[in-house]
Coordinates of all heavy atoms in Angstrom, one line a residue:
G298 N -16.4 -10.7 6.7 CA -16.1 -9.3 7.1 C -15.8 -8.4 5.8 O -15.8 -9.0 4.7
F299 N -15.6 -7.1 6.0 CA -15.4 -6.2 4.9 C -14.1 -5.3 5.1 O -13.8 -4.8 6.3 CB -16.6 -5.2 4.7 CG -17.8 -5.9 4.2 CD1 -18.6 -6.7 5.1 CD2 -18.2 -5.7 3.0 CE1 -19.7 -7.4 4.6 CE2 -19.3 -6.3 2.4 CZ -20.1 -7.1 3.1
K300 N -13.4 -5.2 4.0 CA -12.4 -4.1 3.9 C -13.1 -2.8 3.6 O -13.8 -2.9 2.6 CB -11.4 -4.6 2.8 CG -10.3 -3.5 2.6 CD -9.5 -3.8 1.3 CE -8.7 -2.6 1.0 NZ -7.9 -2.9 -0.3
I301 N -12.8 -1.8 4.3 CA -13.2 -0.4 3.9 C -12.2 0.4 3.4 O -11.1 0.4 4.0 CB -13.9 0.1 5.3 CG1 -14.7 -0.9 6.1 CG2 -14.8 1.4 4.9 CD1 -15.9 -1.5 5.4
S302 N -12.5 1.0 2.4 CA -11.5 2.1 1.8 C -12.2 3.4 1.8 O -13.3 3.5 1.3 CB -11.1 1.7 0.4 OG -10.3 0.4 0.5
F303 N -11.5 4.4 2.3 CA -12.0 5.7 2.3 C -11.1 6.7 1.5 O -9.9 6.5 1.3 CB -11.9 6.4 3.8 CG -12.8 5.7 4.8 CD1 -12.2 5.0 5.9 CD2 -14.1 5.6 4.7 CE1 -13.1 4.4 6.8 CE2 -15.0 5.0 5.6 CZ -14.4 4.3 6.7
R304 N -11.8 7.7 0.8 CA -11.0 8.7 0.1 C -11.7 10.0 0.4 O -12.9 10.1 0.5 CB -11.2 8.4 -1.4 CG -10.4 7.2 -2.0 CD -9.0 7.2 -1.8 NE -8.4 6.0 -2.4 CZ -8.1 4.9 -1.7 NH1 -8.4 4.8 -0.4 NH2 -7.5 3.9 -2.2
S305 N -10.9 11.0 0.6 CA -11.3 12.4 1.0 C -10.6 13.5 0.2 O -9.4 13.4 0.0 CB -11.1 12.5 2.5 OG -11.5 13.9 2.9
R306 N -11.4 14.6 -0.1 CA -10.9 15.7 -0.6 C -11.5 17.0 0.1 O -11.8 17.9 -0.5 CB -10.9 15.9 -2.2 CG -12.3 15.8 -2.8 CD -12.2 15.7 -4.3 NE -13.5 15.6 -4.9 CZ -13.7 15.2 -6.2 NH1 -12.6 15.1 -6.9 NH2 -14.9 15.1 -6.6
C307 N -11.8 16.7 1.4 CA -12.3 17.7 2.1 C -11.7 17.7 3.5 O -10.6 17.0 3.6 CB -13.8 17.5 2.3 SG -14.3 16.0 3.0
A308 N -12.2 18.4 4.5 CA -11.5 18.3 5.9 C -11.6 17.1 6.6 O -10.9 16.8 7.7 CB -12.3 19.5 6.7
V309 N -12.4 16.2 6.2 CA -12.6 14.8 6.9 C -11.3 14.0 6.7 O -10.8 13.8 5.6 CB -13.8 14.1 6.5 CG1 -13.9 12.7 7.2 CG2 -15.1 14.8 6.7
D310 N -10.8 13.7 7.8 CA -9.5 12.8 7.8 C -9.8 11.3 7.8 O -10.3 10.7 8.7 CB -8.6 13.2 9.2 CG -7.3 12.6 9.2 OD1 -7.2 11.5 8.5 OD2 -6.5 13.2 9.8
C311 N -9.5 10.7 6.7 CA -9.7 9.2 6.4 C -9.1 8.5 7.5 O -9.6 7.4 8.0 CB -9.2 8.8 5.1 SG -10.1 9.5 3.6
S312 N -7.8 8.8 7.9 CA -7.0 8.0 8.9 C -7.8 7.9 10.2 O -7.8 6.9 10.9 CB -5.6 8.5 9.0 OG -5.6 9.7 9.5
K313 N -8.4 9.1 10.7 CA -9.1 9.1 11.8 C -10.3 8.2 11.8 O -10.6 7.5 13.0 CB -9.5 10.6 12.2 CG -8.3 11.5 12.5 CD -7.4 11.1 13.5 CE -6.3 12.1 13.7 NZ -5.2 11.6 14.7
L314 N -11.1 8.2 10.7 CA -12.1 7.3 10.6 C -11.7 5.9 10.7 O -12.3 5.1 11.3 CB -12.9 7.6 9.3 CG -13.9 8.6 9.3 CD1 -14.4 8.9 7.8 CD2 -15.1 8.3 10.3
A315 N -10.7 5.6 9.9 CA -10.1 4.1 9.8 C -9.7 3.6 11.2 O -9.8 2.5 11.5 CB -9.0 4.1 8.8
E316 N -9.1 4.5 12.0 CA -8.5 4.2 13.3 C -9.6 3.8 14.2 O -9.4 3.0 15.2 CB -7.8 5.4 13.8 CG -6.4 5.6 13.3 CD -5.7 6.9 13.8 OE1 -6.4 7.5 14.5 OE2 -4.7 7.1 13.2
K317 N -11.0 4.1 13.9 CA -12.0 3.7 14.8 C -12.1 2.1 14.9 O -12.6 1.5 15.7 CB -13.4 4.2 14.3 CG -13.6 5.7 14.5 CD -14.8 6.1 13.8 CE -15.2 7.7 14.0 NZ -15.5 7.9 15.4
W318 N -11.7 1.4 13.7 CA -11.8 0.1 13.5 C -10.4 -0.7 13.4 O -10.2 -1.7 12.8 CB -12.7 -0.3 12.4 CG -14.1 0.2 12.6 CD1 -15.0 -0.1 13.4 CD2 -14.6 1.4 11.9 NE1 -16.2 0.6 13.2 CE2 -15.9 1.6 12.4 CE3 -14.2 2.2 10.8 CZ2 -16.8 2.5 11.9 CZ3 -15.0 3.3 10.4 CH2 -16.2 3.5 10.9
G319 N -9.3 0.1 13.9 CA -8.0 -0.6 13.9 C -7.3 -0.4 12.7 O -6.3 -1.0 12.5
G320 N -7.9 0.4 11.8 CA -7.1 0.6 10.4 C -6.3 1.9 10.5 O -5.9 2.4 11.6
G321 N -5.9 2.3 9.3 CA -5.1 3.6 9.3 C -4.7 4.0 7.9 O -5.3 3.4 6.9
G322 N -3.9 5.0 7.8 CA -3.5 5.5 6.4 C -3.2 6.9 6.4 O -2.4 7.3 7.3
H323 N -3.8 7.7 5.6 CA -3.6 9.1 5.3 C -4.8 9.9 5.6 O -5.9 9.4 5.7 CB -2.9 9.5 4.1 CG -1.6 8.5 3.7 ND1 -0.4 8.8 4.2 CD2 -1.6 7.5 2.9 CE1 0.4 8.0 3.8 NE2 -0.2 7.1 3.0

Side-chain angles (χ1 to χ4, degrees):
F299 284 79
K300 174 194 172 187
I301 317 299
S302 293
F303 297 117
R304 296 292 185 272
S305 175
R306 56 181 175 200
C307 61
V309 177
D310 188 330
C311 292
S312 67
K313 297 300 183 187
L314 275 172
E316 285 171 4
K317 290 177 180 287
W318 300 289
H323 305 281

